[in-house]
Amino acid sequence: KARVAVLISGTGTNMAALLYAAKAEDCPYEIALVASNNPDAAGLKLAEAEGIATFAHPHKGLSREAHDDIMHDALVAAKADYVALAGYMRILSPEFVGKWEGRMLNIHPSLLPKYKGLHTHERALEAGDSHGGCSVHLVTAELDDGPILGQTPVAILPGDTPESLGQRVLIAEHQLYSRTLAAFVARESSPDYLIAQIRERALALPEAD
Ligand code: GAR
């Protein structure tokens, strides 16, 4: 099974959804590590209780690059194949993103490209949108901007507040993230995909003499 490290900063309900989905026998990934910049993140305790390895290192007093290096070393030590950001409230250095490019996913609580950054539900409500929602995307150096792998629209109800909409979006997030991660990992390890990769690399090689 592919080894996934999950990075969290807070409650970790998306991490929990990934973890419980991974308990299914046919799930193509397992959780190798739950890591955080916040040693008090509630999700760390849950992961520990579920027998998952955890790692925490506060970012305070460290440069972005220095903290990212510490996290990267922990991911490598855990032999992670993929990284899933799940409410990891840190902007990542381009160096860190470069090391995991194509293998790092994020979940964002809006229908990207709408409402990158924070306060997404508030902004959807203010704009009078019919739907909020969530997106899973590959992480690139630009914030909340990489290729979108999956999205779920969530209808906005009369009287919705950012909190009430956020709660419904979170339910959709849990379902979307585990499903999208599983599909991504399965596609990448499928024989067709691997053969296509080998072909692509062979074509990129210079002609033999
Ligand atoms: C989720 O809604 C996630 O989409 C959001 O933080 C929440 C974390 O909840 N992420 C971002 O806003 C990233 N910019 P969780 O800790 O319960 O999974």
Side-chain angles (χ1 to χ4, degrees):
K1 289 195 179 202
R3 296 172 64 79
V4 175
V6 187
L7 297 192
I8 65 169
S9 295
T11 323
T13 65
N14 275 289
M15 176 278 295
L18 297 181
L19 189 160
Y20 292 126
K23 292 195 179 208
E25 215 161 274
D26 61 352
C27 184
Y29 70 83
E30 61 186 320
I31 305 298
L33 178 74
V34 175
S36 184
N37 61 315
N38 171 15
D40 299 324
L44 289 173
K45 287 187 194 70
L46 172 72
E48 243 166 64
E50 292 291 352
I52 308 286
T54 61
F55 175 82
H57 202 291
H59 57 270
K60 212 171 171 224
L62 291 174
S63 71
R64 191 173 299 287
E65 289 72 22
H67 185 258
D68 283 357
D69 278 351
I70 291 169
M71 299 306 276
H72 176 73
D73 289 348
L75 301 178
V76 172
K79 298 191 167 60
D81 302 306
Y82 298 93
V83 177
L85 305 180
Y88 189 59
M89 302 314 261
R90 296 271 303 157
I91 291 178
L92 299 165
S93 62
E95 291 76 18
F96 182 88
V97 173
K99 286 174 189 158
W100 292 95
E101 195 139 20
R103 293 182 297 146
M104 180 155 60
L105 284 66
N106 180 43
I107 184 137
H108 183 76
S110 80
L111 294 173
L112 289 171
K114 276 188 165 182
Y115 315 131
K116 297 172 182 181
L118 298 174
H119 309 301
T120 54
H121 307 308
E122 205 173 307
R123 286 150 74 199
L125 289 170
E126 266 166 21
D129 292 353
S130 65
H131 288 73
C134 48
S135 309
V136 172
H137 65 95
L138 281 171
V139 177
T140 55
E142 216 44 45
L143 182 73
D144 298 330
D145 193 60
I148 293 167
L149 302 175
Q151 289 187 310
T152 306
V154 173
I156 291 178
L157 302 178
D160 253 340
T161 61
E163 291 69 35
S164 64
L165 175 59
Q167 277 172 14
R168 285 203 311 288
V169 170
L170 199 55
I171 296 170
E173 288 187 39
H174 297 160
Q175 210 262 343
L176 177 72
Y177 209 178
S178 47
R179 181 163 49 80
T180 308
L181 177 63
F184 184 74
V185 164
R187 186 184 71 94
E188 286 227 322
S189 50
S190 75
D192 284 354
Y193 180 84
L194 293 172
I195 289 166
Q197 288 285 303
I198 292 165
R199 283 229 174 90
E200 212 168 275
R201 275 176 211 159
L203 288 174
L205 288 175
E207 292 279 333
D209 291 332

